[in-house]
Amino acid sequence: MSLPLSCNPCSVAARLRLRRVPVLGAAGARAGPGPSPALALALTNTNNCAFHPSAPVAHCRHLRRLHHHRQRKQPLAVPLNTTFPLRPRSPSRPTPSAICITQSPLATMASATSFYDFKPVDKRGEPKPLEEYKGKVVLVVNTASKCGFTPQFEGLEKLYKGLKEKHPDDFVIVGFPCNQFGGQDPGTNDEIQSFCQVNYGVSFPIYGKIDVNGDKADPLYEWLKNEQPGLMGLKRIKWNFEKFLIGRDGKVKGRWASTTKPESLEKPILEQLNNKE
C-alpha cells in the first residue's frame, strides 16, 4: 500500500522541522530532548495520522520510532544514588510487640476441665469467675423474659429457696439471659434483672446476656454442650430454659429440655447434694 506524500516520513519530518525541544524534569532540571508540539500531536492521535486523516498512524511508524529513540536517550529525572528518608511509624499504629492477643473462646473451652474454669460476664459486663461455686451443686439455665416458658422463673425460685433451707451452702441456680430464640429477651441487663425480681421475686444470680449457640456462643455453653449433648447427640441448645446440672466436682451430671419443669428436678439435685465426694 502506497502512502500519500503528506505521510512520507521525510516530508513529514521536513514539514515539522524536527528540532530538539528541552524537557524539564520534576525539579526543573533539563531532562533531555522531546518531540516538537506538532510531532507530539501526531503521536497522540491513536486513530489516524494528524496530517492525513485517511492514513492510520500505524503507517507513520518512522515517527513513532523517532519518538521512542528520543525517549530512551532521556536521562533519569532523579539520580540513581538518591536516597529517600523512611516515613516514621504513626503513633496510632502499635508495634507488633504491643499488640495484645486475646484468648479465643475455643482455646478457653479446650483448656477447661470443669465448670469452675469459666468466667462469664455479670450484669455489669465484667468477668465473674465461677470458681466461687466450687464444691457446690449448680443448676444452669438459659432464660428469657418474653417466652412461653418464662413462668418457669417461679418454679426455679421455689426450688432454689426450698433446697437452700436444707442445704444453705451447697446449692445455687444461675441464670444466663439469651436473646437468640425468637428475640424473646431484648432488654438490657438492668431491665432483665428488674423484670426477674419484680415479676417473680428471683433471688438466685442472673448473669449478663450471652449467646448460647453460634460463633459468638459463650465458652461456658460450648463446654456444657460438648460435655452433655442432647437427644440423638445434638449439642445445640434448642430453646429457652434448658437446664444443666453440675455436680460438686464441676462436671455435668444431667441435661433437660425446656419442657422439663423445675420442680421435677428436685430428686436428681438431691442425689448430687447427698454425694459428698
Side-chain angles (χ1 to χ4, degrees), residues 98-229:
I99 298 176
C100 178
I101 301 177
T102 57
Q103 191 176 24
S104 67
L106 290 178
T108 303
M109 185 189 73
S111 62
T113 58
S114 74
F115 174 78
Y116 312 120
D117 294 330
F118 295 93
K119 300 178 181 179
V121 296
D122 60 14
K123 63 181 180 180
R124 293 180 294 275
E126 299 176 358
K128 186 176 181 181
L130 297 177
E131 191 177 6
E132 64 176 298
Y133 303 128
K134 199 166 187 176
K136 296 184 178 183
V137 177
V138 184
L139 184 65
V140 183
V141 187
N142 61 299
T143 64
S145 304
K146 298 182 179 182
C147 176
F149 295 109
T150 299
Q152 287 192 12
F153 271 123
E154 184 177 355
L156 289 169
E157 179 64 19
K158 184 178 180 180
L159 177 67
Y160 178 63
K161 285 185 175 180
L163 291 175
K164 286 287 286 185
E165 290 179 0
K166 302 175 183 178
H167 306 272
D169 300 321
D170 296 329
F171 176 67
V172 66
I173 296 176
V174 291
F176 290 95
C178 178
N179 195 42
Q180 286 189 293
F181 305 102
Q184 295 179 347
D185 214 359
T188 64
N189 286 337
D190 288 337
E191 291 171 344
I192 293 170
Q193 297 280 335
S194 177
F195 172 86
C196 294
Q197 293 170 4
V198 171
N199 292 279
Y200 296 100
V202 171
S203 59
F204 56 82
I206 300 292
Y207 280 68
K209 189 188 298 185
I210 62 171
D211 283 356
V212 297
N213 291 325
D215 296 336
K216 297 182 180 180
D218 191 90
L220 169 62
Y221 263 84
E222 288 296 305
W223 180 80
L224 290 171
K225 292 183 293 184
N226 276 282
E227 290 292 305
Q228 187 71 57

